[in-house]
Amino acid sequence: MSRLDLPCIAFHDSDHRSTVMLSLSEHKRIAAGDTDEVLRNKIVSPTAQGFLLVRDPDTMATFLYNPSSSDKVQLPPLRGVDDDVLMDSHCLLSDKPAAPGCVVLLVEGWDDTFIWYCHPDDDHWEKYEYDIGSHVLPYPDKEEDQIEKNVICSIAACHGKFYFDCSAKEMRVIDFSSPEPVFTAIAIDHTVPADGSHGYDEQLPCRMFLVESNGELYMVRLLFGSPYEGGDDIDRVSVHKMDFLKRRWFYVHDLGGRAFLLSQFYFGASCSASECGLLPNRVYFMFDRNNSLQVFDVKDGTYQLHKLGEAPMKVDKAFWLLPISP
């Protein structure tokens, strides 16, 4: 049985239903072995726990795939989600698939306000339309205000619950302890003390990701080079850890020797740097639009940019393949 050297970077082309793997250490294409065969002609959505949600677009057969062992966990056929929507969706697990009550959650991407969920031993997926408010689009030339529903973007699983929509004042939660999902909110203490040990400036343009690491919930903010411009120039990182007792976000400059791996569609994961051959206390961000890898040092605030010359020219999604801990 041929297995991958994990972690590695995967590039998915939905038109050709193909996935190309790159070595993280050498930035070169690698043979994917069994994984290449399993993922061929499939639609793939990664999870922060290392499992991949895989669907055959021809038969709708759906399963969780472990790239570390090539084992599969069969799921109900996922019907009702278009391939392009599934590509942009976010998949999460509340626990290991074999754990009692494990929930597989799929959050539809872009402007959709639907989530899908099931347990590994269910015979179907449940579809649920959520409502977390709306906002007015800034179109001053329109006679009437354009209203758009708020959607779930960055989201992470921690201690069996799903946390999302974080701001300086509030964080929202999805709990599946009842038959249907229950949406609640946690008020956040956003006061900033003189030493600046917690709190953050929401006015700075950024990309925000939530990451679960060793049972703790972190918020990673990739900040643009200019506070007045958007674009793709990200030159620094801000990391906060949630203190659930005090209900505050605290700045951190140490990830406990771990590495955070981020990619588009709000994917955020954590792994042991020493066990995975990575640099400790780093944030790795895979930016598929220009095939580059940015590595931020949380302690000294510096970063390195790596161009991935062997990445395919056409990419619909870049994501991480991670080892799964026993």
Side-chain angles (χ1 to χ4, degrees):
M1 178 181 294
S2 176
R3 296 182 183 176
L4 279 170
D5 184 17
L6 303 175
C8 69
I9 306 170
F11 297 89
H12 190 66
D13 177 357
S14 60
D15 288 344
H16 298 90
R17 298 180 186 175
S18 63
T19 304
V20 174
M21 314 295 178
L22 256 67
S23 162
L24 182 56
S25 58
E26 299 181 354
H27 305 160
K28 294 181 179 180
R29 293 196 184 194
I30 55 178
D34 295 340
T35 299
D36 183 51
E37 184 64 29
V38 171
L39 301 186
R40 184 175 291 117
N41 297 323
K42 306 296 195 303
I43 303 298
V44 183
S45 181
T47 75
Q49 292 87 349
F51 290 93
L52 303 176
L53 178 72
V54 182
R55 186 180 72 179
D56 186 326
D58 297 324
T59 67
M60 295 292 111
T62 308
F63 56 89
L64 293 173
Y65 176 67
N66 181 345
S68 300
S69 65
S70 296
D71 291 338
K72 298 178 183 179
V73 178
Q74 295 299 325
L75 298 176
L78 179 57
R79 299 186 175 94
V81 182
D82 292 340
D83 289 347
D84 56 346
V85 173
L86 181 56
M87 278 289 301
D88 298 344
S89 297
H90 195 147
C91 185
L92 306 99
L93 305 178
S94 65
D95 206 333
K96 294 184 182 298
C102 172
V103 175
V104 182
L105 174 65
L106 185 74
V107 181
E108 289 195 14
W110 299 111
D111 298 331
D112 296 313
T113 54
F114 295 100
I115 60 174
W116 299 73
Y117 61 94
C118 73
H119 302 90
D121 56 353
D122 286 346
D123 59 5
H124 69 282
W125 290 76
E126 295 285 353
K127 183 180 181 180
Y128 183 90
E129 184 174 11
Y130 62 85
D131 185 352
I132 55 174
S134 58
H135 59 276
V136 178
L137 296 175
Y139 294 145
D141 56 331
K142 300 289 185 180
E143 294 183 1
E144 296 182 359
D145 290 337
Q146 302 294 306
I147 306 299
E148 185 175 75
K149 288 186 176 181
N150 296 333
V151 297
I152 296 173
C153 293
S154 186
I155 182 170
C158 188
H159 298 297
K161 298 181 180 180
F162 301 93
Y163 297 88
F164 71 99
D165 199 23
C166 294
S167 68
K169 299 180 181 180
E170 186 179 73
M171 177 169 61
R172 301 199 184 192
V173 189
I174 310 176
D175 188 346
F176 282 89
S177 56
S178 300
E180 287 195 347
V182 176
F183 285 68
T184 57
I186 298 175
I188 301 298
D189 180 354
H190 64 287
T191 56
V192 181
D195 63 3
S197 59
H198 62 86
Y200 59 89
D201 185 356
E202 284 192 306
Q203 302 305 311
L204 292 176
C206 71
R207 300 177 188 271
M208 194 267 281
F209 298 78
L210 292 177
V211 180
E212 184 275 334
S213 181
N214 274 349
E216 303 280 1
L217 183 64
Y218 291 81
M219 175 173 55
V220 182
R221 302 174 73 238
L222 303 180
L223 300 162
F224 295 123
S226 169
Y228 307 105
E229 298 178 3
D232 301 329
D233 296 327
I234 298 171
D235 68 349
R236 63 197 190 280
V237 65
S238 172
V239 182
H240 299 72
K241 182 168 72 171
M242 169 53 61
D243 185 324
F244 282 98
L245 292 178
K246 297 181 178 180
R247 296 189 174 186
R248 291 177 178 173
W249 290 107
F250 283 86
Y251 284 118
V252 295
H253 299 284
D254 189 331
L255 304 182
R258 297 179 70 80
F260 289 0
L261 306 176
L262 314 179
S263 61
Q264 293 292 312
F265 307 105
Y266 304 99
F267 177 88
S270 165
C271 63
S272 168
S274 60
E275 293 178 6
C276 294
L278 304 175
L279 295 172
N281 303 307
R282 302 299 202 279
V283 173
Y284 291 75
F285 175 58
M286 179 59 224
F287 191 43
D288 54 0
R289 190 174 301 169
N290 57 13
N291 289 341
S292 65
L293 176 68
Q294 289 180 274
V295 184
F296 297 88
D297 188 324
V298 173
K299 287 194 172 184
D300 65 19
T302 61
Y303 82 92
Q304 293 181 331
L305 178 65
H306 304 276
K307 288 292 185 179
L308 305 178
E310 293 199 12
M313 294 298 295
K314 184 183 183 305
V315 176
D316 294 302
K317 186 172 188 175
F319 57 92
W320 297 96
L321 264 66
L322 306 172
I324 297 174
S325 57

